[in-house]
Amino acid sequence: MSHHRTLTGCLSTAALVVCLAQAPAAGSLHRASKSTSAFDQQRHWDRALVSSVNVVLLKYARLSAWQQKWLEPAAMSAARQRRTSMKRLIVGDPRLALALSLSPAQRVGLPPTVLNLLETRWHGRGDLVLTLTEEAEVDIGQDHNRPAVSPRLTWFVRLGQATWRAFPYGLRLGHQTKYDTPLHGIALDDVMAVDESPVYRYDPLETVRLGFQPGQIVATAGGLPIPLNDLDALADLRRDLLEQVLRFGPIPTPEPDTWTTGLKRLLVIMARARLDDEDTPLTTAEITIAVSGANTFFQENSQHRVAFDVTIHEAPVTTRAYTLDDYRAMSGPNVAHEILGEQAIGAARAAGYEPDTYDRVIVLARQIFRSPMATARIGGRVVVVTGRTLRPWETLAHELGHTFGFPHSDFWRVPPGASPISPDGEPRGQGDYWDIMGMPHADTGDDWRRRHFNGYFKALAGWLPSGSVMDATEGGSFRLRPHDTAGAVGVRAISIDAPDGTTYWLDMRRQFPWNVSMVNGIEVRRVVRSTPSAVGPVVLLDMDNRTPGDIQIHHSLLRAGTFVDPGNGIRISVGNVGEDAAGPYADVGVVR
């Protein structure tokens, strides 16, 4: 009986560490709290609590039925405390949360009342979606040096018709949106920790339950069980699947341009919330003009390697599950937009459309938050815009750019005379005014279609033909030509890989003849890619910072100018800048 009383005490108190002979862990928690952040302190405590309750539950699972019944209220109390801590770990440290999850074998013997309080383990194929939410422009006269609201990146996972906020880690952070991809994780309420591996190895109990021999190595890639001969075969399977997962684009295909070239079917859905009697803020005519403008822009940028076949769902569909107030009550526009988009797609499906057969889907609805907002799935299919912007055509082109896998084009502003890569520089999010993936600026002119995607984005999408992108990693001399003119020919982008993992991308624009810096030089960007699928950040460098005033206007590496990156042993120089029979050019030299 004394054992039962001791166990009851361990189950009912918050100090589970001490109860289960974990005094050293409690002591380390006390010491850590003096030198670590509040986040680390909380994680340390949550880890200790979940670990301790795991021990308690393993003991509880081995008790007889009548003992479990007697201690059931205390066991449930401990499981609830564990649930709270486990949910925080899923959000703050998904790798640790997965490591602390009780396996199927460890759950044997636990009654349903306790099992229902534990995290759910998931193995299947579904969508892992990366979304970016930003506030759309309202007033052209406002300060454009910074966005009004910082863009917010959020992951979601979808298995069947269920959706969770996703918290991936490790290699899973090295790609953008992925559809029909192997997913393994643990879920509590509305959040899920996603394992970085696309392969899950069944534990011994699961292996036997699936009908295989004890000790046999069996895994899954989200589908049927896969029996394997040995651990080397398991490693080979994991490597092959990772190669697929880390390819550019949302679908596992060896052809990298599949997602970004060809005729793309685009569906526009006008949506309204339940009890909302007003139509979307854009009329069918306005939507037609906006989408037509975006279509022309993409054709010009890609030299007709991509185009949109547009269908507009003219009758607004109703998202019956939520009212406008329901959406506003959600934890931010990122969550509200994702749910709104999914509900609008479902409503369109019920109305007889087949949104799943379209390559891109745009959902338009009235304003929910204080300003017009836009959310796009990075490298995915869906764009959601709520509210009316002054430039709907430009907004759609920008958001559709995200679906092609393009992040924002930023700017690295440095003090006058400093090195363009000086650590004293200041990052300006979306500060590349000249690119549609930056933020608009009055000096870019009224015709937004001048703001072509930069040469790196075009190369990434496969819009620049063979021979027009040169690798200058070993150095060389090149005649660079504009990428933003009709009928562009010749070399239009130059890449230089640096030992520190960054790549310099050189290109030139000629759509802004009033900008003296751009007319007499080339643009230099620094791009960081940790995997073939991870894109960004993409940063335009301040090469002309000697010019007073707004140095984001004067940013090009000018004729007779030189840029040196001593740490990577790279020297870039611009010689003559002029025009010949084939058009404008700049002679560029790269020395390693």
Side-chain angles (χ1 to χ4, degrees), residues 50 54 82 86 96-103 106-107 119-121 186:
V50 172
N54 283 350
R82 178 188 181 278
M86 178 61 86
L96 178 58
L98 282 158
L100 293 175
S101 176
L102 290 175
S103 70
Q106 291 173 321
R107 299 179 185 218
E119 64 280 0
T120 302
R121 297 171 64 88
I186 56 173

Side-chain angles (χ1 to χ4, degrees), residues 430-501:
Q430 298 176 251
D432 180 0
Y433 299 151
W434 317 98
D435 192 304
I436 195 70
M437 300 313 295
M439 200 161 35
H441 188 277
D443 193 63
T444 57
D446 293 333
D447 187 357
W448 64 274
R449 288 177 298 183
R450 298 175 187 269
R451 302 175 64 210
H452 273 226
F453 297 110
N454 63 64
Y456 167 64
F457 288 154
K458 291 183 178 182
L460 184 69
W463 295 344
L464 298 180
S466 175
S468 65
V469 181
M470 302 301 294
D471 181 357
T473 300
E474 302 300 324
S477 298
F478 309 89
R479 175 153 286 192
L480 184 64
R481 296 189 181 274
H483 65 81
D484 62 346
T485 57
V489 297
V491 177
R492 278 155 274 173
I494 300 171
S495 67
I496 311 166
D497 288 334
D500 65 358

Side-chain angles (χ1 to χ4, degrees), residues 129-135 149-156 158 163-167 327-342 368-369 373-377 384 386:
V129 176
L130 176 61
T131 70
L132 186 148
T133 301
E134 51 197 319
E135 185 166 353
V149 173
S150 299
R152 181 181 299 179
L153 288 169
T154 312
W155 290 90
F156 293 90
R158 185 175 304 103
T163 301
W164 295 265
R165 283 277 310 278
F167 296 90
Y327 289 117
R328 295 188 186 105
M330 294 175 185
S331 57
N334 52 332
V335 176
H337 278 201
E338 179 67 15
I339 293 176
L340 173 63
E342 281 302 298
I368 295 176
F369 298 95
M373 306 294 292
T375 294
R377 296 179 184 175
V384 179
T386 53

